[in-house]
Amino acid sequence: MSTLKKKLVYKYIKILCSNLLIFVLIQKEKKKKSNTMERQRKHSVGGTTLHTCHPCRRTIPYRIYALVHTCGIIALMYHHVHSLLTSNTPLIITCLLLLSDIVLAFMWATAASLRFNPIHRTEYPENYTTEPEDLPKLDVFICTADPYKEPPIMVVNTALSVMAYDYPSDKISVYVSDDGGSSLTLFALMEAAKFSKHWLPFCKHNNIQDRSPELYFSSKSHSWSDEAENLKLMYQDMKSRVEHVVESGIVETTFLTGNHFCGVFDLWTKTFTRHDHPTIIQVLQNSETDMDDTKKYIMPNLIYVSREKSKVSSHHFKAGALNTLLRVSGVMTNAPIILTQDCDMYSNDPTTPVRALCYLTDPEIKTGLGFVQFPQKFQGVSKNDIYACAFKRLFEINAVGFDGLMGPNYVGTGCFFHRRAFYGGPSILILPEIDELKPDRIANKPIKAQDVLALAHRVAGCVYEQNTNWGSKIGFRYGSLVEDYYTGYRLHGEGWRSVFCNPKRAAFRGDAPKSLIDVVSQQKRWAIGLFEVAFSRYSPITYGVKSMGLMGLAYCQYAFWGFWSLPILVYGFLPQLALLYGVSVFPKSSDPWFWLYIVLFLGAYAQDLLDFVLEGGTYGGWWNDQRMWSIRGFSSHVFGSIEFALKALNLSTHGFTLTSKTNDDEEQSKRYEKEIFDFGSSSMFLPMTTAAIVNLLAFVWGLYGLLAWGEGFVLELMLASFAVVNCLPIYEAMMLRNDDGKLSKRICFLAGIFTFVLIVLGYLFLK
């Protein structure tokens, strides 16, 4: 590039930066007063403060840096276009790098939108003084689908933890959807109903905080009373019965002696399968009639629901199960507040419903408030979270950014909804097909009344939704494997807002996967489901940005998640192969453009690290988080993109793959605690292993060139060395380990073949 051109480029960038900076400072000055007021704003009912809102202090520096980074991206695009016209570098390399940088720029813009106005909230449940009789009813939805991947005793603990909320028991109704139609799950919930008559009074009388029995009795920090010891024996006895039934695969009649629910098990006939069976609705506990053994405490409702299934009718996976619960609960209790809960995410704070009500009942915001989302928190996560399976960025960091726009996205669990939000936008009520399902109807009939149960069975039928608005305009939305993301996105598009509630004591906790294959398989399903939204008529890039503005761009951060695979593949292989053949794809250290790459790379990573640490993460956790970002790019995103493309071409179909919630492998658990990667044998690890080998070869060759000739390809070598450091667990699993978690010989052999093929192709295209 000539000196004159360089000066013109620098002058153009300088003027652009100055103008943008002046514009931002003017806008900031205009909003300074309103931001100060918002920082101190208090929402109250009857003069009592219920919650406050605090904008993040780093907002303005982030916006200023966004302008600087944007100017850098513009300069980089100019450099790419100029290289296309003048450089001797092979055209295919320049085009691939340009395409990759366009994707990176787009994904950076979506992330920048989440840094535009991040806020933190604080709620004060101790100030919520509404009389118990005036509190709204609460319906809790818990979904399970397989008694072997989601052990029934785990479902029992989740159900018991929400039944024991510090909330009027006669206002709580817990609905458990068993989409596997398993008699084993029903038996476990029957046992839970009996145990709850002892557990709930114990928790409330002694103000127990850990209201999951499994967690409470496994804790070593408690001093046990005689009452607690007796209750522990009762729990262990119940647990042994449930686990025995699951292990044997059948509910033996000896366990049903004297049980008035035993007749329901006659429904499990020889023709009964998980994919073809009638509706089963069983009221296991009734707040109108059931009390604890001391007759002091009313028991909450506990209802088992297994919707009708047929092989010739689409059931829409979890979204279909949730809509069935929405209708069944509408017929039976029709509470105005709904909590959706995964079967492995137990309640960790008995005051959680009141925390949610601090927002949901605030007259200043409740009109347009659709839901309150709590973050998922996980127990048993390794010290530095080697698989990044706590999803801190998804459940906390990005949620804070979303909250400053229209509110956090729905993440499938730990979310309190206004029932009204499922029936059209705040200003447009879409009425359901029958009056009994209207969101504002008062359900005043006994839940065991014959006409109530008959209608509940009807609305749980597999053909009920035909020719209705369910799944399109009413309820949880169909059309994506990630029904939570899609539903929250559509609700925001209709005009609903949401609130992120992140108290110091986690509201919900669950178990994290302890093997890499479980993590990447789950995220492959997410990538497919997100692509289904991205390329639908409701794509965030069109419908979302048009209806929500910056919020629509923020939703693109997830919708186009699978696009990360393109730049990760290109930057994981192309510069390294070029380095092996002495072809320069990046500017040399003597070129001024060299520093643009350095600034963009270091700036993006520094901001990412700052986000992670300031929201409570650790440096080791951040390193593993960015490592998993590249691993996902080589595995989940690649295979998810391929499967979505095949599905779009009608060459294959992809069903809902349930993530296993069991951790029975003791050796695997030990490796996880020691933060040793557990790979196993899966073709999803082939691209990642191939990239590890290619980068190691490029690093060795580049280092040799630097030492031998005193000059090398600095940026290419830096990229290869960064990849090598990230790939250390892969090299260890390939060469140094003999346990079951190592990379299989088949994957290593195939990776070696692929590396050879790539080197040959590199010779043909680069040399």
Side-chain angles (χ1 to χ4, degrees), residues 585-604:
V585 298
F586 295 131
K588 293 184 181 292
S589 56
S590 57
D591 191 327
W593 290 108
F594 170 88
W595 295 105
L596 177 63
Y597 278 87
I598 294 294
V599 169
L600 288 177
F601 177 84
L602 293 181

Side-chain angles (χ1 to χ4, degrees), residues 80-99 574 583-585 765-766:
H80 278 305
V81 172
H82 185 268
S83 298
L84 277 172
L85 299 175
T86 62
S87 176
N88 294 325
T89 304
L91 184 64
I92 187 173
I93 293 180
T94 307
C95 288
L96 285 174
L97 290 175
L98 173 60
L99 183 59
L574 190 57
V583 177
S584 177
V585 298
F765 287 99
L766 300 174

